[in-house]
Amino acid sequence: MTFPRDNMIYRERHCPPEEEKLHCLIPAPKGYVTPFPWPKSRDYVPYANAPYKSLTVEKAIQNWVQYEGNVFRFPGGGTQFPQGADKYIDQLASVIPIKNGTVRTLLDTGCGVASLGAYLWNRNVIAMSFAPRDSHEAQVQFALERGVPAVIGVLGTIKVPYPSRAFDMAHCSRCLIPWGANDGKYLMEVDRVLRPGGYWILSGPPIHWKVNYKAWERPKEELQEEQRQIEEAAKMLCWEKKYEKGEIAIWQKRMDGDSCHSKQDKSQVTFCKSSDPDDVWYQKMEACVTPYPDTSSSELKNFPERLYAVPPRVSSGSVRGVSAEKYQEDSNEWKKHVKAYKRINRLLDSGRYRNIMDMNAGLGGFAAALQSPKLWVMNVVPSIAERSTLGVIYERGLIGIYHDWCEAFSTYPRSYDLIHANGLFSLYNNKCNLEDILLEMDRILRPEGAVIIRDEVDVLIKVKKIIGGMRWDTKMMDHEDGPLVPEKILVAVKQYWVAGGNSTSTQ
């Protein structure tokens, strides 16, 4: 609350100084239960897991969420989809090629309880949803309890933690972002993360303001000016308006910006100077247009072919040290590792683990080898990683985020069912306390959730020592190629314990 209100600065990431960090385990609330498996979890969340009723009151008439006995029910409604998310998606699909795998990844800004992402999953589209913790309380927590990818985040002054040209589609449904303000800076940031040929959808104010200004209780002139600013910014970005009907408008980013940008008045367009549009961790957002890359992303295959096809960033040589051969080797290696994991943990593809995190995702091989309609993987590329590979992960049709594991991850406690960490502790050795990273893993892991840590044996011995005081049951295992390989696997399960239970005494 000490941060300025302008441009949402107070809702951005602000980490405590070292001396204020908490070194403790967080108990689950009393009555906590394992979430329902997908697809039931899409529609029902146990009340004890997120005991917050304010949304059921605030959004009662909009059918977001209802409280029924000991569960919340999510009917798939929303302010902008009164007939349900499926009908809304049908309307989008009449313009956007959702069916054939051209569109696979979506960025949903100001996502509410992420019903759009929840219903798109049935159509093989994976959404990265984000919203700040807001006055309605715990929307992102509800999304994660439902089994839908979501993080706490906001468009403020810092670039969003995703690579350039990542998403096939970006969406805002009454997301309360002032798109026309700050010289169109927020639309420029959407443009940066949207791949050539990608779509931007805006539903709600100011679209169709002539009819709705009374219902929205806003002056006609104000809404008209807001839409004018958005249209101007879209034109400057060389987006083409494809559709406007009712309260929905859809723009498409051009495949090639050259012909359009060359016709523009140069005094109106400032191109970003940064040589690396993926260098975003704590970087300030600028009012500038990200130039199109030299390589075309039209080579991108439809999903699911793109999961194992050589990504354009690899074939063009833009990821240092990763050739097409290296990429194929990595994919094969991870198929082998995941096969071994399934022998160690037979629940891996049973539907028991829905929300999975890969803390050091590399090229996304772990997530690709696990690919299944029963689960999704949050692929994290550490900001200190040797090379930035998150763009490759998105080109495979997977999702992920940049993060520095010396800090807390932007999520609620008990968000993930399974956490995978490959080489993570070697990477962070001497960078920050391993204890802090392990406590953060414990915070975001659900009770009875699983952990798989793959690393050098001497690092794992240090890690195992800390875990001794964390109420995890652990077991060290040899690499699948035998005991002579110095890399080992540490598997763990977090014990079930809740606030007020007999098992909460400190160890």
Side-chain angles (χ1 to χ4, degrees):
M1 303 308 288
T2 59
F3 293 96
R5 285 287 196 267
D6 50 318
N7 293 324
M8 303 292 268
I9 291 170
Y10 75 114
R11 283 187 169 163
E12 291 185 315
R13 285 180 63 82
H14 300 287
C15 290
E18 192 62 43
E19 65 277 9
E20 283 179 27
K21 277 187 183 175
L22 302 176
H23 293 87
C24 54
L25 302 178
I26 297 175
K30 204 169 179 181
Y32 177 88
V33 292
T34 302
F36 301 116
W38 187 267
K40 186 180 177 180
S41 69
R42 184 190 74 178
D43 303 332
Y44 295 96
V45 162
Y47 170 73
N49 290 12
Y52 309 111
K53 285 188 192 170
S54 59
L55 255 189
T56 62
V57 179
E58 297 269 351
K59 301 291 182 183
I61 58 168
Q62 290 159 12
N63 236 3
W64 281 30
V65 56
Q66 291 159 359
Y67 175 61
E68 296 177 357
N70 61 351
V71 297
F72 287 111
R73 186 167 77 83
F74 295 84
T79 316
Q80 287 306 122
F81 11 106
Q83 294 176 294
D86 265 333
K87 282 274 192 309
Y88 179 82
I89 293 166
D90 287 340
Q91 195 175 346
L92 302 183
S94 68
V95 184
I96 298 168
I98 286 172
K99 210 178 221 174
N100 65 1
T102 305
V103 167
R104 163 65 179 172
T105 53
L106 163 81
L107 182 68
D108 192 10
T109 57
C111 64
V113 293
S115 283
L116 182 70
Y119 280 79
L120 275 169
W121 181 260
N122 289 353
R123 306 188 191 213
N124 230 2
V125 174
I126 186 165
M128 169 66 83
S129 302
F130 73 81
R133 180 200 179 282
D134 64 4
S135 54
H136 304 313
E137 206 158 31
Q139 294 184 43
V140 168
Q141 189 172 9
F142 278 135
L144 286 153
E145 285 295 324
R146 296 173 76 184
V148 182
V151 291
I152 302 162
V154 69
L155 274 169
T157 64
I158 305 290
K159 291 179 180 181
V160 288
Y162 312 109
S164 60
R165 313 188 306 281
F167 295 95
D168 302 322
M169 190 160 68
H171 173 263
C172 157
S173 162
R174 287 211 179 195
C175 61
L176 305 179
I177 293 167
W179 292 112
N182 297 331
D183 303 320
K185 187 160 68 173
Y186 296 143
L187 279 176
M188 291 173 186
E189 182 63 352
V190 169
D191 182 72
R192 181 185 70 79
V193 299
L194 207 54
R195 76 174 174 85
Y199 298 86
W200 184 60
I201 303 132
L202 176 61
S203 72
I207 306 302
H208 211 41
W209 55 269
K210 285 177 189 165
V211 173
N212 291 325
Y213 74 95
K214 282 184 183 163
W216 293 336
E217 297 176 350
R218 286 181 59 192
K220 211 192 294 192
E221 300 71 27
E222 186 185 287
L223 288 158
Q224 184 177 9
E225 175 58 15
E226 201 177 307
Q227 179 144 6
R228 188 197 66 76
Q229 288 178 343
I230 290 167
E231 302 282 1
E232 283 291 306
K235 200 170 159 188
M236 183 261 295
L237 290 165
C238 293
W239 292 0
E240 189 183 342
K241 195 168 199 182
K242 289 292 194 187
Y243 178 88
E244 183 174 327
K245 189 175 179 183
E247 291 176 28
I248 298 177
I250 300 174
W251 287 262
Q252 184 176 21
K253 181 174 174 174
R254 291 172 197 266
M255 290 301 294
D256 172 15
D258 292 351
S259 56
C260 166
H261 286 308
S262 60
K263 291 177 194 159
Q264 287 174 327
D265 176 357
K266 289 288 181 275
S267 63
Q268 289 184 329
V269 183
T270 307
F271 286 98
C272 301
K273 302 272 192 292
S274 167
S275 57
D276 182 5
D278 296 355
D279 177 20
V280 294
W281 188 245
Y282 284 124
Q283 297 291 347
K284 287 272 186 214
M285 221 183 274
E286 301 167 276
C288 60
V289 179
T290 304
Y292 278 67
D294 297 334
T295 57
S296 166
S297 62
S298 57
E299 311 157 48
L300 211 52
K301 302 261 191 297
N302 288 0
F303 193 83
E305 290 80 8
R306 70 167 86 157
L307 193 59
Y308 280 106
V310 177
R313 291 183 202 232
V314 172
S315 54
S316 67
S318 54
V319 184
R320 184 177 43 80
V322 182
S323 60
E325 295 72 34
K326 277 258 170 60
Y327 167 79
Q328 298 290 11
E329 269 173 40
D330 183 79
S331 289
N332 293 335
E333 188 75 8
W334 279 106
K335 282 178 185 170
K336 187 179 85 174
H337 291 335
V338 167
K339 210 171 163 184
Y341 292 161
K342 285 179 178 175
R343 284 197 300 272
I344 294 167
N345 185 338
R346 297 190 186 282
L347 297 173
L348 202 51
D349 194 19
S350 68
R352 167 67 180 79
Y353 305 120
R354 167 78 182 160
N355 301 3
I356 294 178
M357 174 178 280
D358 192 359
M359 294 176 75
N360 186 20
L363 298 169
F366 170 73
L370 264 186
Q371 176 61 31
S372 156
K374 296 175 195 164
L375 55 84
W376 57 270
V377 179
M378 180 68 77
N379 292 284
V380 182
V381 172
S383 56
I384 65 164
E386 187 190 340
R387 52 177 78 92
S388 174
T389 50
L390 197 50
V392 170
I393 287 166
Y394 274 93
E395 287 180 344
R396 298 184 81 163
L398 303 165
I399 57 164
I401 194 165
Y402 292 113
H403 182 63
D404 181 355
W405 286 110
C406 291
E407 300 180 7
F409 189 76
S410 296
T411 193
Y412 285 84
R414 302 173 300 282
S415 301
Y416 288 86
D417 307 319
L418 184 139
I419 297 176
H420 178 252
N422 170 49
L424 182 85
F425 291 98
S426 289
L427 178 68
Y428 276 93
N429 213 2
N430 303 322
K431 303 280 192 311
C432 54
N433 291 333
L434 300 189
E435 178 188 299
D436 286 342
I437 299 174
L438 283 161
L439 285 171
E440 180 61 359
M441 288 169 77
D442 185 82
R443 184 184 75 87
I444 65 182
L445 186 64
R446 294 188 184 281
E448 298 181 328
V451 178
I452 302 172
I453 304 172
R454 175 182 284 272
D455 220 314
E456 298 296 312
V457 67
D458 52 342
V459 176
L460 287 184
I461 288 166
K462 281 188 207 169
V463 167
K464 196 169 188 298
K465 199 174 171 188
I466 300 168
I467 289 175
M470 283 177 51
R471 303 186 189 196
W472 289 9
D473 298 321
T474 60
K475 191 176 180 185
M476 188 92 83
M477 311 192 79
D478 286 327
H479 187 283
E480 56 268 25
D481 290 343
L484 299 179
V485 181
E487 188 176 84
K488 304 287 177 198
I489 302 162
L490 184 64
V491 292
V493 174
K494 178 177 171 176
Q495 294 170 18
Y496 180 90
W497 60 282
V498 297
N502 296 331
S503 57
T504 55
S505 58
T506 53
Q507 290 186 346

